[in-house]
Amino acid sequence: MILKSQSRTGLKIRGLVVDKKNQPIEFATVLSEELSFTGYTNDHGIFELNIDLTRFKSFDLSVKMIGKKGLDTVIILKPGLQELTFSLPDLNFSLKEVQVNEVRKAKSSNSSIVFDRQAIEQVQAFSLGDILNNLPGKKIAPPNLQNPGNITLRSEASGAHALNNALGTAIILDEIQLSNNANMQNRNVGKFGLAGSLLDSRSYGGFDVTFGGIDLREIPADNIESIEVISGIAPAKYGDLTDGAIIINRQAGKTAYQFSSRINAGSSNFSLSKGYILGKKSGAVNVSLNYLFSEQDPSDPIKSYKRISTGLMWSSYLFKNFKNTVSLDYNTRLDDVKLDPDVGREYMTYAKSRNFSVSNRASLSFENEFFKSLSFSFGYSKGYQETYNQSYINNAPKPIADKDTIGLYEGYYIPGSYTAVEHLLGKPSNLNSNLSLNTELRTGKLIHQLSVGSNIYYAGNNGQGVIVDPEKPRWANQGYQNERPYDYESLPSIFNYGLYVEDHFKLNVLNKELQVNAGLRYDVQNNRGDFQPRVNLKYGISSRININAAFGTSTKAPALAHRYPAPVYFDLPVLNAYNGYTIESVYLVYTDKIVPDNSHLKPSKSSQVEVGLSYKDDFISSSFFAYFKKNSDGFGTLTNFRTYITPVFNYVYHKGQRPEYYPNGEYKDWIASYYTPNNSLSSNNYGAEWFISTKKIKTIETSFNLTTTFSYSSSKNASETIQQAAANYISNSYKAWFGVYPSARTEDYSISSKLTTTTHIPKLGFVVNFLADIFWVKQQRVLKMGYLPIAYLDRQLKRYEISEFNPDNTDYNYLALSSSANSKTTQPFVYANLSIRVAKEISKFIRMSVNAYNVFNIRNRYYNPNSNSVINYTYPVSVGAELSIKF
């Protein structure tokens, strides 16, 4: 590094970054948190920045490059000239120190967890999900590629609450927020509700992630440089989230060819990547190809999953201090359940998708005392999604109605034996754009590093939608409902936007430094505006001990599937006169159409408070964080009822022709129900996380990491439960047709630990990880809030409150349910799962590794005598291997 005098108060710094052969490294990233500086080396490996000597006597500096060991240092500013060069060695196991585990770092938030490249490679990950299994509170497991995988952060709540948590966890790839808002691959919500509307196969579960987060299987791990997991308070620049963020960085630059192959049971994965330097002005291009194929049971290949991912990144300097990166990605996946000839029911399911995305991110730094940098990112993706399910139906002929109308008309009959089909076709598109201006402002003795910016979020779907053949229905006349085609092309798109301002400054409190990162965000989602304050505080008690505190609120917009569920059609069978011959039969049906209006849906919300204490010396580092997070207005399901009165018809049979029919003067009551999305879910989440890690103990070449987490969630559905009275009470003689009851509340909590040992022998290029997941306790309690009604609805659905239940009141006393006690499910014993990862480098170009899940094949099982079932807490040993070659 060359320090050149600029003035009495200023210094211009020119730094040189080289590799082990003293060749300049182009496109290395240079960061300084204190200076609020982000820069990149040019084609000569040089970067520049200006220092105000009146403010700084020293500053932090980080230099990073893909495939190299990053450098973190502190530069002491001295008078005169100094010449320093930063040398970045290649990442390999011959280095004296390697980091193959995730670490706790105060980056975007106080409690961020970071995986660098070596930690990612050590996991032998088939997808992003395998890496995130190493987070505190998660369970290390063999790759599960046969069903979708979401991530939830800081919550034990399950069911619809877990779906909301996954939906509210943002995944940000190269500054572009990936989105599932346009996904509409689901059955009719009005008939099945949110949780039950995902189209699934008979024996293999579902394959789409509507109403949840991104499917982690679709994100390969080979071309990821680093991952930051924010489970605490995210900076104000990140929006459309409630439960944290996962920030993934890929970086373009010169790299060798790298080929990787890995296997585990019935899964195989191959990848190839290369980074090219194009020339002095043309920049660098990185290309990657990844192929994955997995069978659930190779001996019976009915169920399989296939993924192909390709990518191209081009980074260049269009002019001085301006870096631009263009990314093109194309991905396909296929979840396939083939016809099983042994079953004979023509069961077959597949879910396939294709997605093309283009993004551009640019940064411009200024040599200005006020304006420091400007960054802009833009990403657009266009996809194709198709979900198909079929099964053979063999029943008696059935009546059907298929008109898109309201009123009384004649339906028709279809054969009872046919191949029923469910078919969904979507074409989702998403756009995310971000603009940020970074400035510096002085107020008295305080220097504010300000960031002002905006975000745009767009989601649309112009697919064919729900494709229905009325003569081959899968769920005919269920709850008086039948499907109609539903065209996604006619649906409005979702457009949300946000604005934010963020201020980072330091001040002296009791002769100690307090770092403040405070921001205010304003988001407009579904035509509703919300202010979201966020702040992260860090106070240095000493050079080794820091106290942390944070608070923030955030919101997540409803997705297209929440906003625009398909219409509900009730087909009431007023007259069904079938004698075995359709020409001599008649089906008279009354159809009502309900188009749900969900314009009232609010964004889901969360607010979180976090406090922490961290310690670090030359040998040990430790941190303890405790939090409280309140989630509200989560997306749930509301049960709605409709009552109808139709005439009763008699008919006259005529041989060889349609019967005559006429009303007989009597009337019949009908009760029908359907579901709509609402903002009814809420939860209170408490937890604590303790990290402790050591440096390598030289005598045994081993370091240790221990994390322990406690997590508790109390969740409920604010919507009351409405139940229909018994059939014998549905008549004019009884007033209460429906009982209204308070909903149950669920409490979940768990305590678990992760213990990892890392033995690293540089001379041998050898690393061994022992990993132990210890599960101390896990419990769920369902608390019944009452079996007596708090209100009732009459025939016209008019509500009557019950202030105190009177068992002698004949208006409603028959609505009392059987007394139901609280239920509890508890893990019966403490158990652990032990795994091992072994990696060996040969000549720094070839890396071989083996991992074994449940290495000692210890089977933790429990027989439940009440249910006469066996619960498996651990599964048989699973061995995987990986070969990586650089050339």
Side-chain angles (χ1 to χ4, degrees):
M1 175 178 286
I2 307 169
L3 304 182
K4 291 189 175 180
S5 294
Q6 189 178 34
S7 67
R8 291 186 177 181
T9 61
L11 208 62
K12 172 173 274 191
I13 295 180
R14 286 166 56 91
L16 175 65
V17 181
V18 297
D19 61 17
K20 64 180 180 180
K21 297 179 180 179
N22 285 325
Q23 295 299 309
I25 297 177
E26 187 176 355
F27 296 110
T29 302
V30 184
L31 304 168
S32 174
E33 181 181 345
E34 289 183 276
L35 302 181
S36 187
F37 173 80
T38 301
Y40 308 92
T41 56
N42 61 18
D43 55 334
H44 298 293
I46 294 173
F47 68 92
E48 296 181 348
L49 69 159
N50 296 317
I51 304 295
D52 185 348
L53 294 177
T54 63
R55 292 173 47 198
F56 298 100
K57 304 301 180 185
S58 64
F59 65 92
D60 67 294
L61 196 69
S62 297
V63 185
K64 302 181 183 300
M65 181 61 194
I66 184 172
K68 307 292 183 182
K69 180 176 175 58
L71 178 69
D72 296 305
T73 187
V74 175
I75 304 299
I76 307 297
L77 297 173
K78 299 178 181 179
L81 300 176
Q82 293 181 340
E83 293 189 6
L84 297 173
T85 298
F86 292 107
S87 179
L88 303 184
D90 293 336
L91 275 178
N92 54 61
F93 289 159
S94 65
L95 299 173
K96 291 184 178 181
E97 298 289 341
V98 297
Q99 182 55 257
V100 296
N101 299 301
E102 71 280 4
V103 295
R104 176 79 85 178
K105 285 185 179 180
K107 293 189 70 177
S108 298
S109 74
N110 288 339
S111 54
S112 291
I113 297 174
V114 178
F115 298 83
D116 64 14
R117 183 61 212 167
Q118 282 196 324
I120 294 170
E121 289 182 347
Q122 190 70 3
V123 174
Q124 302 177 24
F126 286 78
S127 68
L128 176 63
D130 296 328
I131 302 170
L132 300 182
N133 283 340
N134 292 271
L135 288 171
K138 303 300 181 184
K139 181 186 293 187
I140 295 175
N144 178 16
L145 299 166
Q146 298 304 317
N147 294 103
N150 287 148
I151 182 68
T152 58
L153 298 175
R154 287 188 171 178
S155 177
E156 286 293 307
S158 57
H161 296 274
L163 276 178
N164 276 266
N165 187 292
L167 183 68
T169 302
I171 296 182
I172 300 162
L173 177 65
D174 294 337
E175 301 180 15
I176 301 300
Q177 187 161 328
L178 306 183
S179 176
N180 200 41
N181 287 342
N183 190 339
M184 299 189 71
Q185 298 300 107
N186 61 280
R187 294 175 174 135
N188 193 315
V189 171
K191 180 184 289 189
F192 298 98
L194 291 182
S197 66
L198 295 183
L199 196 155
D200 54 6
S201 67
R202 174 175 173 267
S203 303
Y204 299 95
F207 311 125
D208 293 310
V209 288
T210 318
F211 309 116
I214 300 294
D215 186 355
L216 301 181
R217 298 178 302 169
E218 298 185 26
I219 303 177
D222 292 274
N223 57 348
I224 296 176
E225 184 65 15
S226 67
I227 301 170
E228 179 184 0
V229 179
I230 303 173
S231 55
I233 311 304
K237 70 176 182 179
Y238 298 122
D240 202 35
L241 56 85
T242 51
D243 293 273
I246 299 169
I247 302 172
I248 304 171
N249 291 309
R250 304 177 299 178
Q251 189 173 359
K254 182 181 179 180
T255 63
Y257 281 101
Q258 179 161 334
F259 171 78
S260 297
S261 65
R262 57 186 65 89
I263 58 172
N264 187 292
S267 302
S268 302
N269 186 206
F270 306 94
S271 69
L272 179 66
S273 63
K274 167 65 177 173
Y276 303 89
I277 296 294
L278 300 179
K280 293 184 178 180
K281 300 296 181 181
S282 300
V285 167
N286 283 68
V287 293
S288 62
L289 173 65
N290 190 288
Y291 172 80
L292 183 148
F293 182 75
S294 175
E295 291 179 319
Q296 179 163 297
D297 183 359
S299 65
D300 186 18
I302 298 297
K303 172 66 175 71
S304 65
Y305 172 79
K306 182 168 67 174
R307 180 194 72 203
I308 300 175
S309 304
T310 61
L312 182 148
M313 297 178 65
W314 173 40
S315 289
S316 61
Y317 293 103
L318 301 182
F319 49 85
K320 184 181 179 182
N321 297 332
F322 183 81
K323 183 184 179 184
N324 192 77
T325 300
V326 179
S327 300
L328 302 175
D329 293 278
Y330 180 75
N331 307 291
T332 70
R333 64 106 182 182
L334 172 63
D335 266 305
D336 194 16
V337 180
K338 301 178 179 65
L339 283 172
D340 189 345
D342 297 330
V343 175
R345 291 290 301 274
E346 297 189 25
Y347 291 123
M348 184 178 74
T349 307
Y350 66 79
K352 58 185 177 182
S353 65
R354 303 188 296 269
N355 189 76
F356 173 76
S357 62
V358 56
S359 65
N360 189 87
R361 48 186 168 136
S363 61
L364 174 63
S365 58
F366 304 101
E367 296 180 359
N368 186 285
E369 293 185 358
F370 181 71
F371 293 107
K372 295 301 180 181
S373 64
L374 178 71
S375 60
F376 171 77
S377 61
F378 171 89
Y380 176 78
S381 66
K382 181 69 175 179
Y384 171 90
Q385 298 174 324
E386 184 178 8
T387 310
Y388 178 91
N389 184 42
Q390 73 172 41
S391 59
Y392 187 73
I393 305 295
N394 187 17
N395 291 316
K398 60 189 66 177
I400 201 70
D402 61 3
K403 288 189 177 182
D404 183 13
T405 185
I406 297 176
L408 191 68
Y409 61 94
E410 290 186 11
Y412 58 96
Y413 293 88
I414 61 174
S417 300
Y418 56 89
T419 300
V421 171
E422 295 177 282
H423 197 185
L424 307 172
L425 184 60
K427 294 182 179 180
S429 55
N430 293 278
L431 180 148
N432 176 223
S433 182
N434 311 283
L435 179 66
S436 177
L437 175 64
N438 301 306
T439 67
E440 197 168 88
L441 181 67
R442 185 189 295 266
T443 59
K445 294 183 179 180
L446 292 182
I447 299 172
H448 302 267
Q449 297 172 352
L450 292 172
S451 177
V452 181
S454 63
N455 317 89
I456 294 173
Y457 309 91
Y458 163 87
N461 196 318
N462 63 348
Q464 191 174 344
V466 181
I467 302 170
V468 174
D469 183 348
E471 295 188 1
K472 297 180 179 180
R474 177 63 183 88
W475 310 101
N477 303 316
Q478 186 180 70
Y480 304 132
Q481 293 190 46
N482 287 299
E483 297 294 324
R484 308 296 200 273
Y486 185 44
D487 184 6
Y488 297 161
E489 293 181 357
S490 60
L491 299 179
S493 300
I494 289 178
F495 180 81
N496 303 314
Y497 63 91
L499 307 170
Y500 70 89
V501 59
E502 203 164 30
D503 185 12
H504 179 73
F505 60 91
K506 302 176 183 177
L507 65 159
N508 190 289
V509 178
L510 301 177
N511 295 321
K512 305 295 182 181
E513 184 181 79
L514 173 65
Q515 297 183 29
V516 180
N517 192 346
L520 179 64
R521 182 175 182 86
Y522 180 74
D523 271 312
V524 176
Q525 299 166 322
N526 202 19
N527 299 317
R528 301 177 67 94
D530 289 285
F531 285 100
Q532 304 160 45
R534 302 179 193 175
V535 60
N536 279 273
L537 305 174
K538 181 180 178 182
Y539 183 64
I541 297 178
S542 68
S543 61
R544 295 180 175 181
I545 302 175
N546 291 293
I547 296 176
N548 303 278
F551 168 78
T553 64
S554 54
T555 62
K556 175 71 183 76
L560 274 172
H562 294 114
R563 281 285 281 113
Y564 306 109
V568 175
Y569 293 86
F570 288 123
D571 297 320
L572 307 180
V574 176
L575 174 63
N576 182 12
Y578 182 75
N579 69 349
Y581 300 95
T582 56
I583 191 62
E584 298 177 354
S585 305
V586 64
Y587 174 51
L588 192 61
V589 59
Y590 176 83
T591 292
D592 187 24
K593 177 182 179 180
I594 301 172
V595 180
D597 178 14
N598 288 335
S599 59
H600 64 280
L601 273 181
K602 298 179 289 185
S604 61
K605 299 179 181 179
S606 75
S607 57
Q608 185 172 187
V609 178
E610 176 188 83
V611 294
L613 179 68
S614 59
Y615 171 86
K616 185 175 183 179
D617 60 26
D618 293 336
F619 176 69
I620 197 170
S621 62
S622 181
S623 65
F624 178 85
F625 283 87
Y627 64 87
F628 166 66
K629 181 172 65 174
K630 181 177 181 60
N631 291 86
S632 59
D633 290 332
F635 305 118
T637 302
L638 175 67
T639 304
N640 306 275
F641 285 90
R642 285 286 182 99
T643 60
Y644 299 91
I645 302 175
T646 64
V648 177
F649 285 80
N650 291 340
Y651 67 95
V652 178
Y653 170 74
H654 295 290
K655 183 175 178 61
Q657 56 183 300
R658 191 171 302 279
E660 293 182 50
Y661 54 87
Y662 55 91
N664 64 8
E666 297 179 2
Y667 291 88
K668 181 179 180 179
D669 293 300
W670 303 84
I671 298 175
S673 64
Y674 66 101
Y675 302 103
T676 53
N678 68 345
N679 294 105
S680 60
L681 301 187
S682 63
S683 64
N684 292 327
N685 307 278
Y686 305 82
E689 302 165 349
W690 178 42
F691 283 64
I692 184 168
S693 62
T694 70
K695 295 286 188 180
K696 185 193 293 185
I697 302 173
K698 295 298 182 182
T699 55
I700 57 175
E701 298 285 8
T702 301
S703 61
F704 298 87
N705 289 271
L706 174 67
T707 66
T708 299
T709 61
F710 164 75
S711 180
Y712 167 87
S713 295
S714 174
S715 55
K716 66 178 181 178
N717 188 330
S719 296
E720 299 163 327
T721 300
I722 302 178
Q723 293 191 28
Q724 181 180 328
N728 56 307
Y729 294 106
I730 306 298
S731 70
N732 292 331
S733 303
Y734 295 90
K735 188 173 184 179
W737 282 28
F738 305 90
V740 181
Y741 309 86
S743 295
R745 177 166 58 90
T746 302
E747 293 181 340
D748 298 81
Y749 76 90
S750 70
I751 302 175
S752 64
S753 298
K754 283 184 183 292
L755 175 64
T756 305
T757 70
T758 303
T759 302
H760 170 225
I761 306 175
K763 291 183 179 180
L764 300 178
F766 186 71
V767 173
V768 179
N769 281 113
F770 281 100
L771 308 100
D773 277 337
I774 307 169
F775 303 96
W776 303 103
V777 64
K778 186 176 181 64
Q779 179 177 287
Q780 180 182 84
R781 289 201 308 160
V782 179
L783 306 178
K784 302 293 185 182
M785 305 306 291
Y787 64 98
L788 299 177
I790 59 175
Y792 68 88
L793 308 180
D794 65 11
R795 180 178 184 176
Q796 286 76 37
L797 301 181
K798 182 179 179 180
R799 181 180 176 117
Y800 296 85
E801 300 296 332
I802 302 175
S803 57
E804 183 177 351
F805 185 83
N806 181 0
D808 298 323
N809 190 326
T810 57
D811 284 347
Y812 59 75
N813 58 0
Y814 50 87
L815 295 176
L817 304 175
S818 300
S819 178
S820 179
N822 299 332
S823 63
K824 182 171 69 172
T825 303
T826 304
Q827 178 183 303
F829 45 70
V830 176
Y831 72 97
N833 179 68
L834 305 178
S835 302
I836 187 173
R837 299 169 182 162
V838 181
K840 175 71 173 72
E841 280 186 346
I842 302 174
S843 302
K844 301 179 184 179
F845 301 109
I846 300 175
R847 177 182 296 188
M848 297 183 296
S849 58
V850 177
N851 70 74
Y853 162 83
N854 191 13
V855 61
F856 299 117
N857 199 26
I858 299 173
R859 305 292 301 277
N860 294 289
R861 291 180 288 189
Y862 172 70
Y863 171 71
N864 188 336
N866 296 323
S867 61
N868 192 30
S869 61
V870 175
I871 302 174
N872 289 289
Y873 290 98
T874 55
Y875 291 89
V877 61
S878 175
V879 179
E882 179 177 353
L883 172 66
S884 178
I885 303 174
K886 297 180 181 180
F887 55 95

